[in-house]
Amino acid sequence: MTKTSPLVKFIIWLVLSSAAGCGMVIMAIYLYLVPNLPDTEALRDIELQTPLRVYASDGLLISEFGEKRRNPISYADTPPLFIQALLASEDDGFFEHSGIDLKGLTRAAVELVRTGKKKSGGSTITMQVAKNYYLSSEKTFTRKFTEILLALKIEQSLSKEEILELYINKIYLGKRAYGIEAAAQVYYGRSIKDLSLAQLAMIAGLPQAPSAANPINSPKRAVDRRNYVLARMRNLDKISEEEFQQALREPDVARYHGPTTEVDAPYIAEMVRQEMVDRFGDQAYTGGYSVYTTVNSKRQTAASKALQQGLINYDREHGYRRSEPEFSLVELTPENDNPLLREWFAAADSRFDIDWPSTLEEWDNYIRQQGDFGLLTPAIVADVRKDGAWTYSDNGFLWLPFSGMTWARPYLSVDSVGQDPKNALEVVSIGQKIWLQKTANGLELGQMPKAEGAIVSLNPNDGGIEALVGGFSFSANKFNRVIQAERQPGSAFKPFIYSAALANGFTPASIINDAPVVFEDASLENTWRPENHNGKFYGPTRLREALYKSQNLVSIRILKQIGTRTAIRYVEPFGFDGKKLNNDLSLALGSSAVTPMELATGYCVLANGGYAVKPYLIQRIEDDQGTRLFTARPAVVCRDCDDTDDTTEAEIMQPAEAPLIATEEPDTFALAPTAIDAFEPTPEPTKAELDDALPIIPAAQVMDPRIHYLMVSMLQDVVRRGTGKRALALNRHDLAGKTGTTNDQKDAWFSGFSPDLVTTTWIGFDQPQTLGRWAFGSNTALPIWVDYMKTALEGVAEHPFEQPPGIVSVRIDPETGELARPGQRNAIFEYFRQEDVPTEVSPSEKNNAPGDYSTNEVIPEQLF
């Protein structure tokens, strides 16, 4: 029997002691860490941070907000080929191991002992799930041991498919994309289910270095990683040789795709964002809420284009503001001191002596920094000739012909422009920043308008916002003029004064003297001498005629007769703040500042039969599971409703967890009657079902139907024969509205409607200044309205305004407003409330011929 040498015994003892010591350390770590491990069952109900998404009423995406772009996808909906690519890249033994890879961990430990550096972590996908959902990214042994123990626990609680689903939805893949579906959208603009094999391999290879080696930041590294994943798939026989070779040859087309917005409505998106933050705080950005608005995507798109084109047209009419060149072409320089090379450069034509890579790099940086400006695209002039210019934009080099610049007469002042340009050299210069616009006539020179505008379109039957654009470009200026800009509406406010007059004894045939007046009022700083926009006076005028001709002095006189306080009390229920309305006669001319939204709200009453509605934007809010949290309950025009609903605003805004259908006994719910032998409790109704079952809230009627009909008929005459004639281009008979222009043409308005849609447009400068001598509501704001309504009412049948009982039509003398004489040839028909029909017959000859009030010889009437 041989004796074991003392050295061998020592070595054996040392190994056993070390193993025992390691075992005790591991046991101690295990006993220390296990009690603190989280419950992995909670992973089944984990809530991933997903962004806030805003949709139009038809489900098209308007915008999304949140630091993390995420689109959760189920394991069942994930392409099997992607699963194979992911496992080949990250963990090919995933379906065999129990959560940890002993071989990989051992290899990592040996590398750490041998080199002193951590080269590989030996992490499995399960371990990465444990780290991503529960642990930090700190590199400590305690964190690693906890990760291993958690992985083992997760494997006991969840199936392999559930673990993979958690992983593919949580993992960061660069460019704010979390999860594979978000990454597919960010890099390729498509769903993961629509990607090719090469693209799937690209996404599968991103987890290793998502920021440094994604196909946008580092295309070459990303393609190398993609090819490695493909090679691994081939070695594991997951793809054929033919598939492998074809995928290797496929060029990568990845580029950054921002949020895939389908509707251009940034001002709407910002309104929703502010409302959601008010309701949910910072959780609004991470809770995965989906907000469905009242916005009609077709009308919203039309509104954006109409407003932009209208502002561009106005700006062009006032001339081109040429800017100085800001960029220079980078010229080539000799790389050494060769005299012959220097001599060649000196003699070379400078037009062809350009370092284009360096030049375009600078230009690209500028273009990338520009936002979205809708119809206009930023560009830089690269070369100019007489017949046009080469320009550089995000679409590369584009030829801008001189025919697209002929409009560019130099701007001299708001009322004058210079001569027509003779060639392109007179318009643009090399290195100049310009704007381009694609039109039906080809590429044209554009210009960023200095004037601003707004357009808002409401459903008059419930106040739903159908379209809203708060300015030319949200990228250039986030000020929302629809709800923030308070401007004088001018004559666009007159319909409300006329409505008050009709409710206080006036008729459309009432005769008012359109003659000069002067005011000496203590509330006014100076003597006020109002006049009509053309400086003329028309003498005795019927109320109807005065409205469609927009005669200021008639408006002042009728307001004087009914009283400003009476008028304010009358129009307040239309949606105006009475405290903001001027309590003096200037109210008749629209001197009280209102927002376009407030004016449109008032016009809803004129469009819907006399009912007050409030604008609203959010139809419903859903959580990330599709559960409805909020449903709007606006007051709705209901002509057949007799009973009113006393539901309070607090009840309308109740949270989803509020008690539902409670019976007399607390904490119980009503049960539907069932057969005794098959008695089963009825499932508790969802909030969505309860919301849908609630009765409507009838809108309050604030205008007599007969007054409403008279007012609408007068506003229809504004379109048929007055300042709103341009609206006749729509070839409809159910349109009405009113233009508005303020003093010195600082604001131009048109508010018009059909029974189905109310739209208000406004144009002006943010810092009030004149739009020009010839700028009026009729030729500046109205064309935008017409352009928009052409699309907005497409396919909408004409809907005549119904004549209510108590309205009669009689023949009158147009000069006196009294009943026409038998056989009178110039008699016209006029509408009256039955009790307001004239009783006197017009005399056969007028006692007084209408005077000429157009001269300054007439002594103004003093009104105090």
Side-chain angles (χ1 to χ4, degrees):
M1 183 175 182
T2 59
K3 292 184 179 180
T4 305
S5 67
L7 180 60
V8 173
K9 288 181 179 181
F10 175 75
I11 292 174
I12 293 174
W13 176 85
L14 183 61
V15 170
L16 292 175
S17 298
S18 299
C22 289
M24 292 177 65
V25 170
I26 292 173
M27 182 61 68
I29 293 173
Y30 176 82
L31 293 174
Y32 173 75
L33 295 176
V34 165
N36 298 317
L37 293 178
D39 180 11
T40 55
E41 281 290 338
L43 283 172
R44 297 183 188 275
D45 303 317
I46 200 76
E47 289 188 9
L48 297 171
Q49 291 188 15
T50 52
L52 165 66
R53 293 187 173 94
V54 183
Y55 298 93
S57 60
D58 55 4
L60 296 183
L61 181 65
I62 291 176
S63 186
E64 68 174 34
F65 298 93
E67 288 300 316
K68 297 183 178 181
R69 292 191 62 187
R70 196 191 305 274
N71 301 71
I73 187 172
S74 68
Y75 177 84
D77 291 334
T78 305
L81 203 56
F82 175 81
I83 298 296
Q84 298 294 347
L86 181 67
L87 297 184
S89 171
E90 296 293 312
D91 187 358
D92 58 15
F94 173 75
F95 280 99
E96 285 74 41
H97 64 61
S98 59
I100 59 174
D101 180 5
L102 292 176
K103 186 187 297 185
L105 286 173
T106 302
R107 182 176 62 252
V110 171
E111 287 177 351
L112 178 61
V113 171
R114 190 178 73 244
T115 65
K117 297 181 180 180
K118 176 181 175 295
K119 293 186 177 181
S120 62
S123 292
T124 64
I125 283 179
T126 311
M127 291 169 66
Q128 292 183 57
V129 168
K131 181 180 69 173
N132 288 335
Y133 281 89
Y134 288 116
L135 305 174
S136 66
S137 297
E138 62 176 344
K139 296 181 179 180
T140 65
F141 286 109
T142 301
R143 200 272 297 161
K144 194 66 177 179
F145 275 118
T146 305
E147 182 181 309
I148 292 171
L149 294 175
L150 262 177
L152 293 171
K153 192 173 181 181
I154 288 172
E155 289 276 350
Q156 294 174 352
S157 303
L158 304 177
S159 69
K160 290 287 187 179
E161 290 76 13
E162 289 174 319
I163 295 171
L164 267 177
E165 183 173 313
L166 289 169
Y167 179 78
I168 63 177
N169 284 311
K170 180 74 171 181
I171 192 69
Y172 178 59
L173 297 171
K175 297 298 178 184
R176 292 178 51 229
Y178 289 79
I180 62 171
E181 178 66 13
Q185 295 288 351
V186 165
Y187 295 114
Y188 298 105
R190 293 184 293 167
S191 169
I192 191 76
K193 293 178 284 188
D194 299 324
L195 300 188
S196 67
L197 170 60
Q199 292 167 343
L200 291 173
M202 176 69 78
I203 301 296
L206 290 175
Q208 187 183 70
S211 297
N214 66 62
I216 295 175
N217 289 356
S218 184
K220 186 178 184 306
R221 283 185 62 185
V223 170
D224 289 344
R225 178 66 179 170
R226 178 200 74 176
N227 293 345
Y228 164 77
V229 174
L230 290 169
R232 288 280 297 150
M233 295 178 73
R234 179 70 191 101
N235 291 338
L236 295 170
D237 277 335
K238 303 301 180 183
I239 56 176
S240 67
E241 180 65 23
E242 182 181 355
E243 289 174 320
F244 172 61
Q245 293 296 336
Q246 183 178 350
L248 284 180
R249 291 192 299 269
E250 182 177 315
D252 188 61
V253 294
R255 63 182 179 85
Y256 180 72
H257 295 76
T260 311
T261 57
E262 299 168 294
V263 185
D264 180 22
Y267 291 97
I268 289 282
E270 177 59 16
M271 290 168 68
V272 172
R273 185 197 68 81
Q274 292 179 5
E275 174 66 21
M276 291 297 289
V277 171
D278 289 344
R279 294 190 184 204
F280 300 102
D282 290 340
Q283 189 187 359
Y285 300 117
T286 60
Y289 298 108
S290 294
V291 181
Y292 292 86
T293 67
T294 58
V295 172
N296 180 297
S297 59
K298 175 184 174 183
R299 289 173 173 172
Q300 177 64 33
T301 300
S304 296
K305 290 181 178 178
L307 181 65
Q308 281 207 331
Q309 191 61 58
L311 290 170
I312 289 172
N313 291 344
Y314 165 82
D315 200 66
R316 284 187 173 189
E317 291 172 358
H318 290 77
Y320 179 59
R321 301 179 297 276
R322 183 173 181 175
S323 61
E324 294 298 322
E326 296 186 37
F327 292 95
S328 59
L329 302 176
V330 180
E331 296 186 1
L332 290 168
T333 56
E335 298 179 357
N336 54 49
D337 294 329
N338 187 325
L340 295 177
L341 196 59
R342 286 202 306 271
E343 182 180 347
W344 181 88
F345 270 98
D349 189 334
S350 61
R351 290 184 304 165
F352 305 103
D353 188 18
I354 305 300
D355 182 355
W356 281 110
S358 299
T359 298
L360 295 183
E361 182 178 0
E362 180 184 4
W363 291 6
D364 279 328
N365 288 334
Y366 160 73
I367 291 171
R368 276 197 299 266
Q369 293 172 6
Q370 306 308 302
D372 181 8
F373 294 93
L375 298 180
L376 298 181
T377 301
I380 299 171
V381 179
D383 188 30
V384 186
R385 302 167 188 176
K386 286 187 177 182
D387 60 342
W390 281 105
T391 66
Y392 185 76
S393 70
D394 58 357
N395 291 318
F397 285 98
L398 297 173
W399 174 251
L400 174 61
F402 176 61
S403 59
M405 311 182 202
T406 54
W407 65 267
R409 295 172 295 173
Y411 171 88
L412 300 179
S413 72
V414 71
D415 292 318
S416 60
V417 295
Q419 298 295 318
D420 292 339
K422 296 181 177 62
N423 56 59
L425 295 169
E426 296 182 5
V427 181
V428 294
S429 305
I430 295 176
Q432 181 183 344
K433 296 178 184 177
I434 62 170
W435 297 91
L436 301 176
Q437 182 183 3
K438 292 182 179 179
T439 71
N441 298 322
L443 196 64
E444 295 185 359
L445 177 67
Q447 181 169 254
M448 186 64 65
K450 285 193 172 182
E452 274 294 353
I455 182 170
V456 58
S457 197
L458 303 178
N459 181 339
N461 294 308
D462 64 0
I465 297 174
E466 297 275 325
L468 182 150
V469 186
F472 182 84
S473 169
F474 187 78
S475 297
N477 192 325
K478 294 175 174 54
F479 183 64
N480 188 341
R481 293 155 190 86
V482 170
I483 59 175
Q484 294 177 302
E486 295 188 337
R487 307 295 289 247
Q488 294 181 343
S491 296
F493 194 78
K494 287 178 181 176
F496 306 108
I497 301 299
Y498 277 65
S499 297
L502 292 175
N504 285 275
F506 284 81
T507 74
S510 296
I511 300 295
I512 308 296
N513 193 18
D514 184 67
V517 296
V518 61
F519 294 93
E520 294 179 359
D521 194 324
S523 64
L524 302 173
E525 294 182 3
N526 301 309
T527 299
W528 184 37
R529 299 175 182 271
E531 58 183 27
N532 296 318
H533 71 278
N534 58 9
K536 296 181 179 180
F537 308 99
Y538 297 94
T541 308
R542 284 179 293 114
L543 208 64
R544 177 184 292 272
E545 187 180 9
L547 182 63
Y548 72 69
K549 288 184 177 179
S550 200
Q551 294 172 217
N552 292 336
L553 301 175
V554 172
S555 301
I556 292 170
R557 279 189 162 87
I558 62 175
L559 180 59
K560 174 67 175 177
Q561 292 190 42
I562 65 175
T564 56
R565 293 188 182 277
T566 299
I568 290 173
R569 283 195 300 269
Y570 184 83
V571 303
E572 270 187 304
F574 287 48
F576 297 106
D577 183 353
K579 296 177 182 178
K580 290 167 52 178
L581 300 179
N582 294 347
N583 189 20
D584 58 54
L585 295 180
S586 68
L587 177 68
L589 305 185
S591 64
S592 301
V594 298
T595 65
M597 180 69 82
E598 290 172 328
L599 193 64
T601 303
Y603 271 81
C604 281
V605 180
L606 300 174
N608 64 24
Y611 297 85
V613 295
K614 292 182 179 180
Y616 75 104
L617 177 59
I618 297 177
Q619 276 188 339
R620 69 182 188 277
I621 302 172
E622 296 179 356
D623 64 13
D624 57 347
Q625 301 299 315
T627 302
R628 196 183 303 183
L629 304 178
F630 165 77
T631 302
R633 291 194 65 210
V636 178
V637 173
C638 183
R639 296 171 180 82
D640 300 324
C641 295
D642 295 324
D643 300 327
T644 59
D645 183 7
D646 295 328
T647 306
T648 65
E649 183 175 357
E651 291 170 328
I652 295 172
M653 303 289 285
Q654 64 179 342
E657 62 270 21
L660 306 177
I661 316 186
T663 61
E664 294 180 359
E665 296 181 10
D667 300 326
T668 63
F669 293 88
L671 301 176
T674 59
I676 294 178
D677 58 348
F679 180 82
E680 291 183 1
T682 300
E684 295 177 7
T686 64
K687 186 177 189 304
E689 291 170 339
L690 291 168
D691 286 336
D692 294 340
L694 287 172
I696 67 168
I697 302 175
Q701 188 164 16
V702 296
M703 192 178 193
D704 183 290
R706 298 179 300 168
I707 299 297
H708 169 264
Y709 185 80
L710 295 176
M711 195 67 242
V712 168
S713 72
M714 294 168 68
L715 289 172
Q716 286 181 304
D717 267 1
V718 173
V719 171
R720 291 169 183 156
R721 63 186 73 182
T723 56
K725 274 186 178 180
R726 287 175 185 257
L728 293 175
L730 298 177
N731 196 29
R732 294 180 68 102
H733 302 89
D734 60 346
L735 300 177
K738 185 69 185 75
T739 54
T741 310
T742 60
N743 286 344
D744 298 323
Q745 289 78 41
K746 292 179 180 178
D747 299 274
W749 298 77
F750 187 79
S751 279
F753 56 89
S754 74
D756 304 297
L757 195 64
V758 170
T759 303
T760 291
T761 57
W762 166 83
I763 287 184
F765 290 96
D766 283 338
Q767 299 301 319
Q769 57 182 292
T770 181
L771 289 164
R773 187 183 306 161
W774 310 112
F776 300 99
S778 58
N779 60 11
T780 305
L782 178 54
I784 297 174
W785 187 91
V786 171
D787 192 17
Y788 163 70
M789 294 291 273
K790 184 188 306 179
T791 300
L793 294 178
E794 187 177 16
V796 179
E798 287 196 23
H799 183 185
F801 294 94
E802 296 182 6
Q803 181 174 327
I807 290 289
V808 295
S809 175
V810 298
R811 293 173 73 251
I812 64 167
D813 183 333
E815 302 293 340
T816 65
E818 297 175 339
L819 293 175
R821 302 183 305 278
Q824 183 173 342
R825 292 187 176 182
N826 67 339
I828 61 173
F829 282 96
E830 183 57 272
Y831 292 110
F832 295 90
R833 289 190 292 180
Q834 200 163 11
E835 63 271 26
D836 293 334
V837 173
T839 57
E840 299 292 329
V841 177
S842 181
S844 57
E845 294 182 4
K846 291 187 295 182
N847 295 327
N848 298 301
D852 181 5
Y853 293 91
S854 62
T855 68
N856 292 326
E857 298 177 359
V858 179
I859 300 176
E861 176 185 357
Q862 301 288 324
L863 295 179
F864 301 99

